[in-house]
Amino acid sequence: MRRVVQFSTGNVGRHSLAAIIGRPDLELVGVHAASDNKVGRDAAELCGLSEPTGVIATDDIDALIALQPDCVVYTALGETRPMEVIEEMAKLLAAGINVVGTSMVWLVTPRQADDWLRAPLEEACAAGNASLYVNGIDPGYSSDSAVFSALSLVTRARSVTVQEIFDYGNYDDYEYTGTAMGFGNSPDDPLPIAFQLGVITSVFGGLVRNIAAQLDVELDEVRERYEPWYTPERIECKMMTVEPGGLAAVRFAAEGVRSGEPVITVEHVNRLTSAAAPDWQVPPEGQLGVHKVIVEGEPRVEVNTLLSHPVLDVTEAGCLSTAARAVNAIDWVCRAPAGLIAADDIPPTEMIRGLMW
Ligand SMILES: NC(=O)c1ccc[n+]([C@@H]2O[C@H](COP(=O)([O-])OP(=O)(O)OC[C@H]3O[C@@H](n4cnc5c(N)ncnc54)[C@H](OP(=O)(O)O)[C@@H]3O)[C@@H](O)[C@H]2O)c1
């Protein structure tokens, strides 16, 4: 039985919290909440379960450390406040507590991460003899698991493309995703944060370099591309309303180039409703989103990962799967040698242990 703390209960965290409460091989011992209106409430309430757990949310990290959990599931928003998150993660690790999580997407490929990020966390892991593992569905599963399954089916690969093609219309996250990607902006507005020079390669370039390293391919460069699509008509969706002339879809990629050709591509096509960018690639009929891997080779392989759920919409299902990528690794990460862990360090079968109780 692993003693676990859930850190934050947002889009992803409420799913990992419910998973921890549900699993018989995990014991929820604490919950962190940053928001005042969550502190003091029972964990069950924070993830929509009816039966109280008796575990009460706190904003006191030292009190959570004092519980001496085996592992913390860290899903607090990270990318907008990286230094604060490094400090929080390092504190937990140095105290001997393993951390799995979804925040700080650069850590999905820790061997490719920059020193400013890696060094303090590696130091903390060594000090506490603890491990840190960050993953998700994309970045994560598509580019560090599905891609390898697809590549294992060919005798020669000419190129590989990993794509997220997703309608974000139902994603109730204008504050972070919406503003970062510039949805609603006009062509005269400054480039939103996600598409300023170098940001695409900072977030997705590590995935490309990681696949190249696994394939033993030497790349000439990793470059980025970005294309906006402005709507001629008003678009209304859960995320926001986009007036005519506003940005309603984006297509962007990090491309690993060899001999002038992109051979390893990690691409996103994100739109607000199917009315946006109708000429761009769309998910399979009737679907709002797909995670896709295409290998051009002998033979051609296409893997389409489609999520669905009787209650949750596909965006929430993506958050649920993102939570699964972290929670499913808890037991292995608790047994791992100290340090930063990448998905390919974990034997795939270790990620499914305990799932079918
Ligand atoms: N790789 C993937 O596929 C993937 C997919 C989805 C998300 N992610 C990553 O997972 C993380 C969580 O995503 P999410 O959608 O769940 O985020 P979210 O709902 O926007 O935020 C998660 C929680 O972060 C805490 N938080 C937000 N701003 C804060 C601040 N300024 N100071 C302290 N705490 C703050 C809040 O905690 P309280 O609830 O305690 O108030 C919030 O509920 C992100 O870093 C995101 O990039 C990755």
Side-chain angles (χ1 to χ4, degrees), residues 143-187:
S143 47
D144 66 27
S145 298
V147 72
F148 300 133
S149 300
L151 282 163
S152 74
L153 296 173
V154 303
T155 55
R156 182 171 184 182
R158 284 185 292 279
S159 72
V160 58
T161 302
V162 178
Q163 292 177 311
E164 177 183 284
I165 305 171
F166 237 82
D167 179 346
Y168 281 178
N170 281 334
Y171 199 11
D172 192 9
D173 183 27
Y174 174 70
E175 260 178 26
Y176 173 55
T177 307
T179 51
M181 295 177 100
F183 287 124
N185 287 3
S186 79

Side-chain angles (χ1 to χ4, degrees), residues 9-12 33-35 38 75-79 102-103 137-139 322:
T9 53
N11 296 319
V12 176
S35 316
K38 291 185 176 177
T75 57
L77 183 63
E79 295 76 16
T102 64
S103 315
I137 187 161
D138 190 322
T322 293

Side-chain angles (χ1 to χ4, degrees), residues 103-124:
S103 315
M104 308 286 273
V105 290
W106 308 280
L107 290 169
V108 168
T109 48
R111 291 190 288 271
Q112 312 294 336
D114 292 340
D115 273 355
W116 64 268
L117 177 58
R118 221 181 44 219
L121 293 168
E122 273 175 347
E123 215 171 281

